[in-house]
Amino acid sequence: MVAVKAYYNGTAFIPLDKRVFKVNQQAMIVVSDEETLKTEKKSCRGIASQYANPSLISREQEVAANAFSEGSV
């Protein structure tokens, strides 16, 4: 599996990287909802939440986004 950044032009998703894809190749698209991410209250969930530092959530999201953009997934 390869992660590829793309943008939506109103009709189709256009990859930002120059990659070769096969005709009819299946893909999984995960859309970033930037507005929701900016406005929704950030909190930690799950059993590890008692140890989590909520002030680091934005930093963790940034690190994850960079990992995807570098193709290290």
Side-chain angles (χ1 to χ4, degrees), residues 42-44 48-49 51-65:
K42 296 180 179 180
S43 64
C44 299
S49 65
Y51 307 106
N53 182 346
S55 68
L56 297 176
I57 292 174
S58 295
R59 178 68 182 132
E60 290 174 0
Q61 290 172 336
E62 180 183 319
V63 169

Side-chain angles (χ1 to χ4, degrees), residues 1-52:
M1 184 179 288
V2 176
V4 178
K5 279 193 167 186
Y7 68 93
Y8 183 66
N9 70 3
T11 306
F13 287 92
I14 309 299
L16 295 175
D17 296 339
K18 294 186 185 236
R19 299 215 182 230
V20 177
F21 298 101
K22 297 176 185 174
V23 175
N24 295 323
Q25 181 176 350
Q26 292 187 3
M28 179 187 312
I29 299 173
V30 178
V31 179
S32 172
D33 187 357
E34 294 292 328
E35 289 304 312
T36 300
L37 291 175
K38 289 177 186 175
T39 58
E40 85 182 1
K41 183 180 177 189
K42 296 180 179 180
S43 64
C44 299
R45 290 177 261 173
I47 195 165
S49 65
Q50 60 185 326
Y51 307 106

